[in-house]
Amino acid sequence: MTLDGRVAIITGASRGIGFGIAERLASAGMRVALYDVSPLVAEAAAKIAEAGGKAIGIRGDVTSRRDVQAMFDMVESELGPVWLLVNNAGVIPTGPTADMPEEAWDLAMAVDLKGVFLCSQAAIQRMIPHQGGRIVNVSSIAGLIVRTGQVGYCAAKAAVNHFTRCLAIEVAPHGITVNALLPGMTRTELLADSFVARGLNLDDMLGMIPTGRFAEPADHAALIEWFASDAARQVTGQLVCVDGGQSQFMPLMVAKPAT
Ligand SMILES: NC(=O)c1ccc[n+]([C@@H]2O[C@H](COP(=O)([O-])OP(=O)(O)OC[C@H]3O[C@@H](n4cnc5c(N)ncnc54)[C@H](O)[C@@H]3O)[C@@H](O)[C@H]2O)c1
Protein backbone atom coordinates (compact mmCIF):
# COMPACT_ATOMS: atom_id res chain seq x y z
CA MET A 1 0.00 0.00 0.00
CA THR A 2 1.30 3.44 -0.87
CA LEU A 3 0.24 6.77 0.62
CA ASP A 4 -0.01 8.26 -2.88
CA GLY A 5 -3.49 9.72 -3.40
CA ARG A 6 -4.67 8.94 0.13
CA VAL A 7 -6.36 11.70 2.12
CA ALA A 8 -5.05 13.27 5.33
CA ILE A 9 -6.58 15.90 7.62
CA ILE A 10 -4.15 17.87 9.78
CA THR A 11 -5.62 20.15 12.44
CA GLY A 12 -3.79 23.29 13.54
CA ALA A 13 -1.89 23.26 10.24
CA SER A 14 -1.61 26.94 9.35
CA ARG A 15 1.87 27.09 10.94
CA GLY A 16 4.38 25.27 13.13
CA ILE A 17 4.38 21.50 13.52
CA GLY A 18 1.03 21.02 11.74
CA PHE A 19 2.20 22.87 8.64
CA GLY A 20 5.44 20.85 8.60
CA ILE A 21 3.41 17.63 8.74
CA ALA A 22 1.10 18.78 5.93
CA GLU A 23 4.08 19.71 3.72
CA ARG A 24 5.72 16.32 4.20
CA LEU A 25 2.55 14.28 3.64
CA ALA A 26 1.80 16.27 0.48
CA SER A 27 5.28 15.60 -0.84
CA ALA A 28 4.65 11.89 -0.17
CA GLY A 29 1.70 12.20 -2.58
CA MET A 30 -1.11 12.47 -0.03
CA ARG A 31 -4.06 14.79 -0.64
CA VAL A 32 -4.01 17.02 2.44
CA ALA A 33 -6.66 19.12 4.17
CA LEU A 34 -5.25 21.78 6.48
CA TYR A 35 -7.76 22.75 9.18
CA ASP A 36 -7.24 25.73 11.47
CA VAL A 37 -9.12 28.43 13.34
CA SER A 38 -6.67 30.97 11.86
CA PRO A 39 -7.44 32.70 8.56
CA LEU A 40 -3.80 32.00 7.59
CA VAL A 41 -4.83 28.42 6.79
CA ALA A 42 -5.77 29.36 3.20
CA GLU A 43 -2.31 30.84 2.59
CA ALA A 44 -0.65 27.76 4.11
CA ALA A 45 -2.57 25.40 1.81
CA ALA A 46 -1.82 27.61 -1.19
CA LYS A 47 1.90 27.39 -0.40
CA ILE A 48 1.75 23.58 -0.53
CA ALA A 49 -0.30 23.67 -3.74
CA GLU A 50 2.24 26.06 -5.34
CA ALA A 51 4.97 23.52 -4.56
CA GLY A 52 2.98 20.90 -6.51
CA GLY A 53 1.05 19.24 -3.68
CA LYS A 54 -2.71 18.63 -3.52
CA ALA A 55 -3.90 20.73 -0.58
CA ILE A 56 -6.99 22.55 0.61
CA GLY A 57 -7.31 24.91 3.58
CA ILE A 58 -10.45 24.89 5.72
CA ARG A 59 -11.10 27.38 8.48
CA GLY A 60 -12.85 26.11 11.60
CA ASP A 61 -12.61 25.34 15.28
CA VAL A 62 -11.73 21.89 16.66
CA THR A 63 -13.90 22.60 19.71
CA SER A 64 -17.10 22.91 17.63
CA ARG A 65 -18.85 19.67 16.69
CA ARG A 66 -20.69 21.47 13.90
CA ASP A 67 -17.47 22.91 12.39
CA VAL A 68 -15.72 19.56 12.63
CA GLN A 69 -18.53 17.58 10.98
CA ALA A 70 -18.81 20.17 8.20
CA MET A 71 -15.05 20.00 7.65
CA PHE A 72 -15.08 16.19 7.30
CA ASP A 73 -18.00 16.43 4.84
CA MET A 74 -16.12 19.00 2.77
CA VAL A 75 -12.91 16.96 2.77
CA GLU A 76 -14.73 13.81 1.70
CA SER A 77 -16.51 15.56 -1.15
CA GLU A 78 -13.41 17.46 -2.39
CA LEU A 79 -10.61 14.95 -1.74
CA GLY A 80 -12.18 11.53 -1.04
CA PRO A 81 -12.38 9.18 1.97
CA VAL A 82 -10.15 10.13 4.89
CA TRP A 83 -7.26 7.73 5.58
CA LEU A 84 -5.35 9.77 8.18
CA LEU A 85 -6.35 12.26 10.87
CA VAL A 86 -3.58 14.15 12.66
CA ASN A 87 -4.91 15.86 15.80
CA ASN A 88 -2.31 18.61 16.13
CA ALA A 89 -4.16 21.84 17.06
CA GLY A 90 -3.16 23.01 20.51
CA VAL A 91 -2.89 25.95 22.89
CA ILE A 92 -0.74 26.46 26.02
CA PRO A 93 -2.43 28.63 28.65
CA THR A 94 0.43 29.57 30.96
CA GLY A 95 0.64 31.00 34.49
CA PRO A 96 0.64 30.06 38.17
CA THR A 97 -2.27 27.79 39.12
CA ALA A 98 -3.28 30.00 42.06
CA ASP A 99 -4.09 32.84 39.67
CA MET A 100 -5.31 30.79 36.73
CA PRO A 101 -8.58 32.13 35.34
CA GLU A 102 -11.26 29.48 34.87
CA GLU A 103 -11.32 30.45 31.17
CA ALA A 104 -7.68 29.41 30.76
CA TRP A 105 -8.40 25.96 32.21
CA ASP A 106 -11.49 25.61 30.01
CA LEU A 107 -9.53 26.63 26.91
CA ALA A 108 -6.86 23.97 27.49
CA MET A 109 -9.53 21.30 28.03
CA ALA A 110 -11.54 22.44 25.00
CA VAL A 111 -8.76 22.71 22.41
CA ASP A 112 -6.16 20.25 23.70
CA LEU A 113 -8.56 17.49 24.81
CA LYS A 114 -12.16 17.89 23.59
CA GLY A 115 -10.95 18.86 20.11
CA VAL A 116 -9.09 15.55 19.90
CA PHE A 117 -12.26 13.70 20.89
CA LEU A 118 -14.52 15.55 18.42
CA CYS A 119 -12.16 15.11 15.45
CA SER A 120 -11.40 11.48 16.31
CA GLN A 121 -15.10 10.68 16.65
CA ALA A 122 -15.87 12.22 13.25
CA ALA A 123 -12.94 10.29 11.76
CA ILE A 124 -13.87 6.85 13.11
CA GLN A 125 -17.51 7.32 12.07
CA ARG A 126 -16.16 7.57 8.51
CA MET A 127 -13.29 5.05 8.80
CA ILE A 128 -15.29 2.16 10.32
CA PRO A 129 -17.37 1.56 7.13
CA HIS A 130 -14.06 1.34 5.16
CA GLN A 131 -12.50 -0.90 7.85
CA GLY A 132 -9.27 1.06 7.88
CA GLY A 133 -7.59 4.32 8.81
CA ARG A 134 -5.03 6.02 10.99
CA ILE A 135 -5.25 8.58 13.78
CA VAL A 136 -2.17 10.25 15.25
CA ASN A 137 -2.51 12.61 18.22
CA VAL A 138 0.21 15.23 18.57
CA SER A 139 0.39 15.24 22.36
CA SER A 140 3.43 16.39 24.37
CA ILE A 141 6.06 15.10 26.77
CA ALA A 142 4.32 17.57 29.13
CA GLY A 143 1.68 14.81 29.45
CA LEU A 144 4.35 12.49 30.90
CA ILE A 145 6.65 14.74 32.92
CA VAL A 146 5.86 17.82 34.98
CA ARG A 147 6.11 21.37 33.66
CA THR A 148 5.31 24.12 36.10
CA GLY A 149 2.90 26.92 35.27
CA GLN A 150 0.98 24.92 32.67
CA VAL A 151 -1.27 22.73 34.78
CA GLY A 152 -4.23 22.73 32.36
CA TYR A 153 -2.05 21.99 29.34
CA CYS A 154 -0.17 19.18 31.10
CA ALA A 155 -3.40 17.62 32.42
CA ALA A 156 -5.03 17.79 28.98
CA LYS A 157 -2.01 16.21 27.27
CA ALA A 158 -1.86 13.44 29.91
CA ALA A 159 -5.53 12.77 29.16
CA VAL A 160 -4.81 12.70 25.42
CA ASN A 161 -2.15 10.06 26.05
CA HIS A 162 -4.62 7.79 27.81
CA PHE A 163 -7.40 8.60 25.33
CA THR A 164 -5.03 7.39 22.61
CA ARG A 165 -4.54 4.03 24.28
CA CYS A 166 -8.25 3.55 25.06
CA LEU A 167 -9.44 4.45 21.55
CA ALA A 168 -6.72 2.30 19.96
CA ILE A 169 -8.08 -0.82 21.62
CA GLU A 170 -11.70 0.05 20.84
CA VAL A 171 -11.18 0.54 17.09
CA ALA A 172 -8.44 -2.06 16.49
CA PRO A 173 -10.95 -4.64 15.17
CA HIS A 174 -11.88 -2.16 12.43
CA GLY A 175 -8.36 -1.87 11.02
CA ILE A 176 -7.88 1.59 12.50
CA THR A 177 -4.71 2.42 14.43
CA VAL A 178 -4.42 5.23 16.98
CA ASN A 179 -1.05 6.44 18.22
CA ALA A 180 0.41 9.54 19.83
CA LEU A 181 3.52 11.51 19.00
CA LEU A 182 4.89 13.36 22.01
CA PRO A 183 7.12 16.25 20.90
CA GLY A 184 9.75 17.70 23.15
CA MET A 185 10.70 21.34 22.72
CA THR A 186 10.24 22.20 19.06
CA ARG A 187 11.15 25.51 17.45
CA THR A 188 7.73 27.04 16.68
CA GLU A 189 5.91 30.26 17.52
CA LEU A 190 3.94 28.41 20.23
CA LEU A 191 7.15 27.48 22.06
CA ALA A 192 8.63 30.96 21.68
CA ASP A 193 5.43 32.61 22.95
CA SER A 194 5.17 30.27 25.95
CA PHE A 195 8.76 31.10 26.99
CA VAL A 196 8.26 34.83 26.57
CA ALA A 197 5.08 34.56 28.69
CA ARG A 198 7.13 33.06 31.53
CA GLY A 199 10.04 35.49 31.13
CA LEU A 200 12.39 32.64 30.13
CA ASN A 201 15.11 32.54 27.51
CA LEU A 202 14.58 29.68 25.06
CA ASP A 203 18.27 29.02 24.42
CA ASP A 204 18.88 28.46 28.15
CA MET A 205 16.86 25.25 27.74
CA LEU A 206 19.26 23.57 25.30
CA GLY A 207 21.16 21.95 28.18
CA MET A 208 17.96 19.98 29.01
CA ILE A 209 18.05 18.19 25.65
CA PRO A 210 20.63 15.39 25.38
CA THR A 211 20.91 15.76 21.58
CA GLY A 212 21.76 19.44 22.09
CA ARG A 213 19.16 20.70 19.65
CA PHE A 214 15.50 21.64 19.60
CA ALA A 215 13.26 19.45 17.46
CA GLU A 216 12.08 20.81 14.11
CA PRO A 217 8.58 20.20 12.67
CA ALA A 218 10.27 17.95 10.07
CA ASP A 219 11.37 15.53 12.83
CA HIS A 220 7.71 14.98 13.76
CA ALA A 221 6.49 14.87 10.17
CA ALA A 222 8.78 11.92 9.41
CA LEU A 223 7.21 9.83 12.18
CA ILE A 224 3.67 10.79 11.14
CA GLU A 225 4.38 9.61 7.60
CA TRP A 226 5.56 6.29 8.98
CA PHE A 227 2.49 5.93 11.25
CA ALA A 228 0.32 6.54 8.17
CA SER A 229 2.09 3.88 6.12
CA ASP A 230 1.48 0.17 5.77
CA ALA A 231 4.76 -0.49 7.59
CA ALA A 232 3.07 0.65 10.83
CA ARG A 233 -0.14 -1.39 10.47
CA GLN A 234 0.57 -3.49 13.59
CA VAL A 235 1.50 -0.49 15.76
CA THR A 236 -1.35 0.91 17.83
CA GLY A 237 -1.91 2.49 21.24
CA GLN A 238 1.70 3.70 21.37
CA LEU A 239 3.08 6.94 22.77
CA VAL A 240 6.31 7.86 20.99
CA CYS A 241 8.48 10.73 22.27
CA VAL A 242 10.32 12.78 19.65
CA ASP A 243 12.30 14.83 22.13
CA GLY A 244 16.04 14.22 21.77
CA GLY A 245 15.92 12.22 25.03
CA GLN A 246 14.60 15.18 27.05
CA SER A 247 11.91 13.21 28.89
CA GLN A 248 14.45 10.59 30.05
CA PHE A 249 17.08 12.96 31.34
CA MET A 250 17.85 14.88 34.51
CA PRO A 251 20.88 17.17 34.10
CA LEU A 252 23.32 16.71 36.98
CA MET A 253 25.09 19.53 38.76
CA VAL A 254 28.40 17.67 38.96
CA ALA A 255 30.48 18.67 41.95
CA LYS A 256 34.11 19.56 41.16
CA PRO A 257 36.39 16.66 42.14
CA ALA A 258 38.41 17.34 45.30
CA THR A 259 42.00 18.26 44.48
N1 LIG B 1 6.32 23.54 19.97
C1 LIG B 1 6.60 22.70 20.95
O1 LIG B 1 7.67 22.79 21.57
C2 LIG B 1 5.64 21.60 21.31
C3 LIG B 1 6.06 20.67 22.27
C4 LIG B 1 5.20 19.65 22.63
C5 LIG B 1 3.95 19.56 22.03
N2 LIG B 1 3.56 20.46 21.10
C6 LIG B 1 2.23 20.30 20.51
O2 LIG B 1 2.30 20.32 19.11
C7 LIG B 1 1.10 20.87 18.58
C8 LIG B 1 1.45 21.98 17.60
O3 LIG B 1 2.21 22.95 18.28
P1 LIG B 1 3.00 24.13 17.55
O4 LIG B 1 4.19 24.40 18.37
O5 LIG B 1 3.13 23.88 16.11
O6 LIG B 1 1.95 25.33 17.83
P2 LIG B 1 1.43 26.57 16.95
O7 LIG B 1 0.81 27.54 17.87
O8 LIG B 1 2.51 27.05 16.04
O9 LIG B 1 0.31 25.84 16.08
C9 LIG B 1 -0.92 25.46 16.66
C10 LIG B 1 -2.00 25.71 15.65
O10 LIG B 1 -3.24 25.30 16.22
C11 LIG B 1 -4.22 26.25 15.81
N3 LIG B 1 -5.37 26.22 16.72
C12 LIG B 1 -5.43 26.70 17.99
N4 LIG B 1 -6.66 26.55 18.48
C13 LIG B 1 -7.41 25.97 17.52
C14 LIG B 1 -8.78 25.57 17.43
N5 LIG B 1 -9.62 25.78 18.46
N6 LIG B 1 -9.22 25.00 16.29
C15 LIG B 1 -8.37 24.83 15.23
N7 LIG B 1 -7.06 25.19 15.25
C16 LIG B 1 -6.59 25.76 16.38
C17 LIG B 1 -3.49 27.59 15.83
O11 LIG B 1 -4.17 28.57 15.07
C18 LIG B 1 -2.13 27.20 15.27
O12 LIG B 1 -2.08 27.35 13.87
C19 LIG B 1 0.27 21.35 19.77
O13 LIG B 1 -0.71 20.38 20.06
C20 LIG B 1 1.30 21.43 20.89
O14 LIG B 1 0.73 21.24 22.16
C21 LIG B 1 4.38 21.50 20.72
Side-chain angles (χ1 to χ4, degrees):
M1 187 207 85
T2 153
L3 291 177
D4 203 25
R6 292 199 174 236
V7 175
I9 293 171
I10 306 101
T11 71
S14 71
R15 65 179 202 178
I17 295 173
F19 180 70
I21 293 168
E23 263 188 322
R24 170 130 189 174
L25 296 177
S27 63
M30 292 192 87
R31 301 153 72 80
V32 297
L34 288 71
Y35 183 62
D36 205 297
V37 76
S38 161
L40 295 176
V41 70
E43 224 172 275
K47 203 169 157 194
I48 293 175
E50 275 160 29
K54 177 68 189 168
I56 59 171
I58 303 172
R59 194 169 173 202
D61 189 336
V62 293
T63 70
S64 157
R65 179 187 292 273
R66 190 169 357 142
D67 282 8
V68 167
Q69 291 288 345
M71 178 268 286
F72 271 83
D73 289 345
M74 190 184 298
V75 172
E76 286 202 327
S77 75
E78 291 197 21
L79 300 180
V82 175
W83 171 252
L84 169 69
L85 165 68
V86 182
N87 282 311
N88 167 79
V91 291
I92 310 191
T94 298
T97 308
D99 303 326
M100 185 184 228
E102 191 178 336
E103 294 74 21
W105 173 267
D106 289 345
L107 183 67
M109 292 300 144
V111 180
D112 296 331
L113 180 56
K114 184 181 168 189
V116 173
F117 159 68
L118 289 176
C119 292
S120 301
Q121 186 184 52
I124 62 172
Q125 285 166 352
R126 289 160 172 82
M127 290 172 179
I128 287 171
H130 297 289
Q131 292 290 288
R134 303 275 198 270
I135 297 175
V136 185
N137 298 323
V138 179
S139 177
S140 172
I141 60 169
L144 287 182
I145 59 174
V146 171
R147 267 213 324 237
T148 52
Q150 295 178 342
V151 73
Y153 177 74
C154 294
K157 292 296 191 180
V160 167
N161 292 346
H162 206 55
F163 172 90
T164 300
R165 300 169 69 213
C166 295
L167 185 64
I169 302 312
E170 189 180 323
V171 298
H174 300 290
I176 302 167
T177 68
V178 187
N179 292 287
L181 185 165
L182 282 56
M185 284 188 278
T186 308
R187 260 193 208 285
T188 65
E189 289 169 58
L190 183 73
L191 183 72
D193 293 349
S194 92
F195 272 71
V196 169
R198 286 181 293 167
L200 298 172
N201 181 355
L202 195 52
D203 286 335
D204 290 346
M205 302 308 291
L206 271 177
M208 304 283 291
I209 309 174
T211 54
R213 59 181 281 270
F214 295 111
E216 303 288 341
D219 296 315
H220 308 310
L223 181 62
I224 301 274
E225 184 184 344
W226 181 77
F227 273 136
S229 75
D230 202 39
R233 67 184 175 180
Q234 192 68 354
V235 178
T236 198
Q238 300 304 306
L239 314 178
V240 181
C241 298
V242 179
D243 67 347
Q246 189 188 348
S247 57
Q248 310 292 322
F249 173 60
M250 183 188 289
L252 269 187
M253 300 292 287
V254 181
K256 274 194 180 160
T259 48

